[in-house]
Amino acid sequence: MDLYGRDLICTQDWSFEELMAALDLAAKMKRDRFNPRWTRILEHRTFIMFFYNPSVRTRLSFEAAMTELGGHAQFMTPSAGRFKTQKQAGETIEDAAKVMARYAAGIGIRILEDKVPYYGAGDEMLREYAYWADVPIFNMADDKFHPMQGLADVMGWAEWYGEGPGRPDYSALEGKKFVLTWASGALARSWCSVQEALLVASRFGMHVTLAYPEGYDLDPEVIAQVRQNCQERGTDFEVVHDPEAGYEGAHIVYARNWMSPNAYRDGVFHKQEEIEKALQYPEWILTAEKMARTDNAIFTHPMPVDRGHEVTDEVASGPRSAIYDIAENRLHVQKAVMALTMGNL
Ligand code: CP
């Protein structure tokens, strides 16, 4: 499998076999983390991390990944430069991408929420960087997709239904019921993590139930892709609008807040309005009572968790919570993707 030079902006851009190549390598790297086979793959190489928005897991796991592969990660924010925007003159994406590619073996970019003027603008920007840069561009979360999170999620689910940490069984996910539910919350989340999770769950052969209050539709093009993925795998896709519905028989429950489609208007992200609206739905919280109706489901969330709004502490810190394993997997999947795309492994 030759993945050298490939970008990763959405998992759907890669074939199932390509995703499995990265996931299989990630599991090997997790089982044998500091083996010399891995620790010099990116020796003397630099990875540029360009963050428009804050991050804990993504920044730390990419930095750690580069350290463990023998290279170095450089952190940059837009305030470091003079970049052209809709409102101000400055350096174009073509120039920025071509120059960064002269220094680095790969570039990661995060841009979402209040840093984009309309839904999809962040993903468009990533794809423009990918067009101009002749090194891999990685999506570190844009306004549509979060591919490294999706890979870490599915690896974690397959570990929980497989043989434990570093021993995922992806075939064990086939036919399992995945429930993704909107949740109340005070963070006005973008759609990237939940849309990526729907894409991977459907591609890995799970039945998908999507639950949300009326008015919180996700991107119709992404949902059409999820439906198509389910059709191709012969699984069910259903949408419900009741906070109590969908839990029966579930194996994996993902509860997370997301913004409504009205969040972007007039070139502005209406964050406070979204938060006030979401907090009017306190019944959309994942509780132990709801989890008790599942088939002993695991709880999954990309973090940071908005405890008390999205999910109770009892569930988030409970014995079936996979959140820390999945957060750890960010490191392993990113190491694997960088080794394959930047290191010609
Ligand atoms: N899950 C995730 O991307 O976390 P951060 O926002 O902290 O990077």
Side-chain angles (χ1 to χ4, degrees):
M1 181 71 57
D2 183 8
L3 287 165
Y4 185 70
R6 288 284 295 277
D7 308 308
L8 183 53
I9 296 178
C10 175
T11 53
Q12 197 73 37
D13 299 339
W14 283 22
S15 71
F16 189 78
E17 291 69 30
E18 289 167 342
L19 297 179
M20 281 310 308
L23 288 166
D24 284 342
L25 180 58
K28 283 186 195 140
M29 288 175 155
K30 183 168 183 175
R31 288 197 298 273
D32 200 6
R33 183 161 166 185
F34 298 105
N35 188 305
R37 284 168 73 195
W38 327 125
T39 55
R40 298 181 70 176
I41 291 172
L42 293 180
E43 195 172 29
H44 308 307
R45 306 287 180 84
T46 296
F47 177 65
I48 293 175
M49 305 185 299
F50 192 9
F51 278 96
Y52 283 74
N53 301 79
S55 163
V56 172
R57 276 143 293 273
T58 304
R59 177 177 177 178
L60 297 182
S61 58
F62 265 107
E63 280 192 23
M66 277 305 284
T67 302
E68 294 185 17
L69 293 170
H72 173 69
Q74 261 185 320
F75 178 76
M76 193 176 79
T77 64
S79 64
R82 293 167 292 277
F83 297 99
K84 185 171 186 222
T85 68
Q86 282 187 330
K87 293 180 184 158
Q88 68 182 41
E91 186 162 21
T92 63
I93 291 176
E94 177 183 357
D95 291 344
K98 285 181 173 175
V99 171
M100 287 185 205
R102 298 282 178 111
Y103 303 139
I107 302 165
I109 304 171
R110 166 169 289 200
I111 183 163
L112 68 167
E113 297 165 356
D114 58 327
K115 301 300 185 289
V116 294
Y118 58 89
Y119 171 72
D123 195 69
E124 286 168 15
M125 188 181 118
L126 266 282
R127 292 181 193 277
E128 194 177 345
Y129 266 91
Y131 178 80
W132 293 115
D134 59 4
V135 298
I137 297 292
F138 302 136
N139 184 352
M140 300 197 301
D142 69 20
D143 47 359
K144 290 178 92 166
F145 304 118
H146 197 351
M148 302 299 183
Q149 186 64 55
L151 289 176
D153 290 342
V154 73
M155 182 176 174
W157 307 335
E159 289 174 324
W160 274 75
Y161 283 103
E163 293 174 32
R167 304 195 182 281
D169 178 356
Y170 294 95
S171 65
L173 298 178
E174 291 170 9
K176 293 280 188 298
K177 180 174 175 180
F178 176 78
V179 175
L180 192 152
T181 177
W182 184 90
S184 183
L187 291 174
R189 315 270 202 181
S190 84
W191 295 350
C192 60
S193 296
V194 292
Q195 292 190 155
E196 197 74 58
L198 288 168
L199 290 170
V200 291
S202 55
R203 280 185 98 191
F204 279 76
M206 285 179 259
H207 301 290
V208 175
T209 296
L210 176 58
Y212 58 92
E214 301 278 2
Y216 280 91
D217 289 346
L218 293 167
D219 184 333
E221 286 183 16
V222 175
I223 296 305
Q225 183 64 64
V226 174
R227 280 186 192 279
Q228 188 180 320
N229 290 346
C230 285
Q231 267 174 12
E232 286 171 8
R233 296 300 306 254
T235 56
D236 301 329
F237 176 77
E238 65 166 351
V239 176
V240 296
H241 297 298
D242 175 346
E244 300 296 328
Y247 289 98
E248 282 68 23
H251 300 97
I252 299 170
V253 178
Y254 187 132
R256 182 162 165 101
N257 173 256
W258 66 78
M259 66 182 192
S260 78
N262 297 325
Y264 290 101
R265 294 193 311 278
D266 310 319
V268 176
F269 178 54
H270 293 268
K271 182 170 183 174
Q272 194 53 36
E273 184 185 301
E274 285 296 312
I275 291 170
E276 286 165 18
K277 195 164 54 176
L279 292 176
Q280 289 170 22
Y281 296 91
E283 69 279 18
W284 286 82
I285 182 172
L286 181 61
T287 61
E289 290 70 33
K290 290 176 182 174
M291 290 297 277
R293 304 212 304 270
T294 68
D295 188 0
N296 197 25
I298 59 170
F299 168 63
T300 183
H301 190 292
M303 304 183 82
V305 179
D306 188 357
R307 288 169 181 250
H309 289 129
E310 294 180 319
V311 59
T312 60
D313 283 330
E314 193 180 3
V315 174
S317 296
R320 298 292 286 167
S321 174
I323 60 176
Y324 304 122
D325 298 322
I326 286 170
E328 178 189 334
N329 287 346
R330 292 291 304 278
L331 170 70
H332 306 299
V333 299
Q334 288 157 198
K335 280 175 71 175
V337 169
M338 289 198 287
L340 290 165
T341 59
M342 293 160 54
N344 204 8
L345 191 69

